[in-house]
């Protein structure tokens, strides 16, 4: 007989899951706002920039597209995505190598569902990889990284995670530019990682959703060095400012077609196909062109200037924080002030974030949410609380060869710079 208490009937893997840290901090922020307090939102990792105009226009003229589309995605869109990887990364990909879904997050879940193997993830890493593995019941192998190196997955650590049982099926997730650290990899590091991946024949899920907002515009896909085993994940959410449109892409090598085919079966039984008008608009986005290049140039310039400025101020206030190389995140470590923080009753990253929010109104996420030990005083700052449309217009007026200076950033990204001042003031003495 079915139990009448619905909680008791929960899947064992889901029963002990908690709402994501992002949601919790949002709820707390909303409560403070209801009390009339100002909250600086450095918690949610959403692009501050609007969707580029030609892409919005394509969505507008495609609004009448109402039919279900092929499970794997609109052929013209898949063609454009294959062309994009050829153009940007020199990868030989065909439209049949591409799978389109309602967000890359959904595609990652389905990949973990169809692929039987361990999930290997560096720590820190994005909040959802591990809970997805947990829901499905896949073993997780965390691989440590350290702040001193700038949090990269080191080839010897990856080797160490695979060596004991070399033939075991594994899915290794690499994400760069990285959420939560904003760091990326050099070509040499990618080559070394590719060598280890090849040695153990792992499947590499290269999450390159922030690739186009590498701050120098020089993102390199590891698929160049391990083409036969790398699935490249991307989408519209970050570089195109369209997280709410929900469109993600996976691009496979020819010899992993069996995996793509299996995923497509699950896609057909779950989401059926991705929203039709959005797919037409995405085809425009992946086509590229000068207007989109200009948009990306200015987006990178703003994020580069702001990331460096904030890292400098946080360092001066005693945090350890390497300047970011991409995306819109910083992952400071507050270890240097840990004695002083302990005297203020702060021993975990969650306590740190709660106290900072309470005292300064600055919301950011604890390092523990990204797989770091609870007692490590780290946190993720998403430097996105500003009007991206306004900042883009203003940046276009500054000669392209000039870096954006502090007065510019303080004017157009004021919420973020003020929030950082408040956090620095708090770190230096507790008063803001
Ligand atoms: C590293 C990383 N991967 C994947 C995603 C999911 O993106 P999508 O909107 O395509 O589901 C995010 C979103 O925050 C992310 O930060």
């Amino acid at each position: 007989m079915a139990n009448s208490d619905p909680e008791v009937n929960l899947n064992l893997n889901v029963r002990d899951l908690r709402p994501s840290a992002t949601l919790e901090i949002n709820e707390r922020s909303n409560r403070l706002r209801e009390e009339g307090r100002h909250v600086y939102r450095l918690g949610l990792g959403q692009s501050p920039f609007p969707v580029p105009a030609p892409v919005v226009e394509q969505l507008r003229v495609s609004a009448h597209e109402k039919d279900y589309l092929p499970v794997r995605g609109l052929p013209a869109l898949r063609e454009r995505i294959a062309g994009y990887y050829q153009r940007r990364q020199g990868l030989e990909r065909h439209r049949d190598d591409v799978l389109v879904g309602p967000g890359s997050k959904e595609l990652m879940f389905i990949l973990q569902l169809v692929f039987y193997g361990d999930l290997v993830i560096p720590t820190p890493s994005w909040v959802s990889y591990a809970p997805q593995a947990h829901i499905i019941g896949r073993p997780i192998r965390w691989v440590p990284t350290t702040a001193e190196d700038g949090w990269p997955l080191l080839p010897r650590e990856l080797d160490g995670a695979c060596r004991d049982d070399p033939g075991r099926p594994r899915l290794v997730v690499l994400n760069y530019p990285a959420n939560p650290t904003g760091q990326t990899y050099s070509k040499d590091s990618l080559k070394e990682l590719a060598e280890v991946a090849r040695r153990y024949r792992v499947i590499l899920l290269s999450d390159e959703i922030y690739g186009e907002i590498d701050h120098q515009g020089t993102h390199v896909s590891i698929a160049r060095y391990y083409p036969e085993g790398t699935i490249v994940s991307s989408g519209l959410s970050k570089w195109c400012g369209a997280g709410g449109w929900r469109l993600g892409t996976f691009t496979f090598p020819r010899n992993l077609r069996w995996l793509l085919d299996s995923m497509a079966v699950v896609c057909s039984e779950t989401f059926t196909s991705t929203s039709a008008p959005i797919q037409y608009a995405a085809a425009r986005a992946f086509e590229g062109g000068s207007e989109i290049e200009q948009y990306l140039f200015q987006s990178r310039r703003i994020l580069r200037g702001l990331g460096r400025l904030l890292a400098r101020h946080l360092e001066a206030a005693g945090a350890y924080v390497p300047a970011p190389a991409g995306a819109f995140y910083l992952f400071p470590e507050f270890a240097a002030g840990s004695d002083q923080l302990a005297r203020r009753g702060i021993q975990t990253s969650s306590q740190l974030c709660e106290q900072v929010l309470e005292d300064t109104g600055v919301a950011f996420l604890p390092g523990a949410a990204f797989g770091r030990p609870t007692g490590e005083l780290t946190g993720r700052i998403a430097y996105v609380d500003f009007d991206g449309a306004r900042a883009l217009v203003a940046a276009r007026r500054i000669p392209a060869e000039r870096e954006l200076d502090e007065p510019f950033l303080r004017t157009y990204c004021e919420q973020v710079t003020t929030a950082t001042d408040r956090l620095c003031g708090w770190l230096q003495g507790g008063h803001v």
Side-chain angles (χ1 to χ4, degrees), residues 134-382:
H134 190 68
I135 291 167
I136 295 167
R138 298 282 181 259
I140 301 170
R141 172 82 186 242
W142 292 96
V143 187
T145 69
T146 59
E148 299 80 67
D149 306 314
W151 311 105
L153 172 62
L154 296 175
R156 71 173 131 80
E157 296 286 353
L158 179 58
D159 189 88
C162 301
R163 199 183 314 133
D164 292 349
D165 188 355
R168 203 175 165 88
R170 291 185 177 87
L171 178 66
V172 176
V173 179
L174 195 67
N175 165 229
Y176 67 101
N179 177 2
T181 66
Q183 298 300 304
T184 194
Y185 291 92
S186 67
K187 279 187 189 168
D188 285 344
S189 312
L190 291 173
K191 282 180 195 164
E192 287 173 32
L193 284 167
E195 228 171 83
V196 180
R198 179 171 294 123
R199 187 176 314 141
Y200 297 103
R201 299 161 63 94
V202 303
I203 290 182
L204 198 57
L205 177 66
S206 189
D207 183 348
E208 301 179 22
I209 195 149
Y210 297 97
E212 284 292 354
I213 44 173
D214 172 294
H215 292 175
Q216 305 293 344
T218 53
H219 177 76
V220 174
S221 176
I222 193 169
R224 288 199 205 173
Y225 310 119
Y226 183 44
E228 72 276 22
T230 303
I231 304 167
V232 182
S233 176
S234 188
L236 293 185
S237 299
K238 309 298 176 179
W239 68 268
C240 200
W245 286 17
R246 309 307 303 129
L247 186 133
T249 71
F250 267 21
T251 305
F252 293 73
R254 179 71 187 83
N255 55 309
L256 293 183
R257 181 69 58 80
W258 56 273
L259 202 46
L260 191 165
D261 291 343
S262 306
M263 283 184 67
V265 173
V266 179
C267 297
S268 76
E269 299 294 1
T270 52
F271 62 79
T272 306
S273 63
T274 305
S275 159
I278 299 294
Q279 292 203 56
Y280 283 92
R284 177 65 193 88
F286 282 99
E287 183 188 334
S290 58
E291 216 173 320
I292 290 178
E293 273 313 311
Q294 181 55 217
Y295 164 90
L296 283 172
F297 176 84
Q298 301 300 353
S299 305
R300 291 174 190 135
R301 194 176 179 210
I302 295 165
L303 296 175
R304 180 171 67 234
L306 192 55
R308 285 181 186 168
L309 177 74
L310 303 181
R312 222 174 43 238
H313 283 289
L314 283 163
E315 284 267 358
Y320 173 77
V321 50
F328 30 68
Y329 305 111
L330 293 169
F331 197 68
E333 190 183 23
F334 304 100
S338 59
D339 287 347
Q340 195 210 358
L341 291 172
R343 280 198 294 281
R344 289 154 85 175
I346 294 166
Q347 266 141 2
T348 67
S349 57
S350 299
Q351 287 168 343
L352 174 74
C353 289
E354 281 166 27
Q355 201 57 51
V356 169
L357 178 57
E358 204 53 52
D359 293 347
T360 68
V362 176
F364 68 111
L365 294 179
F370 301 88
R372 298 304 297 172
T374 51
E376 179 189 272
L377 298 179
T378 47
R380 188 196 75 177
I381 291 174

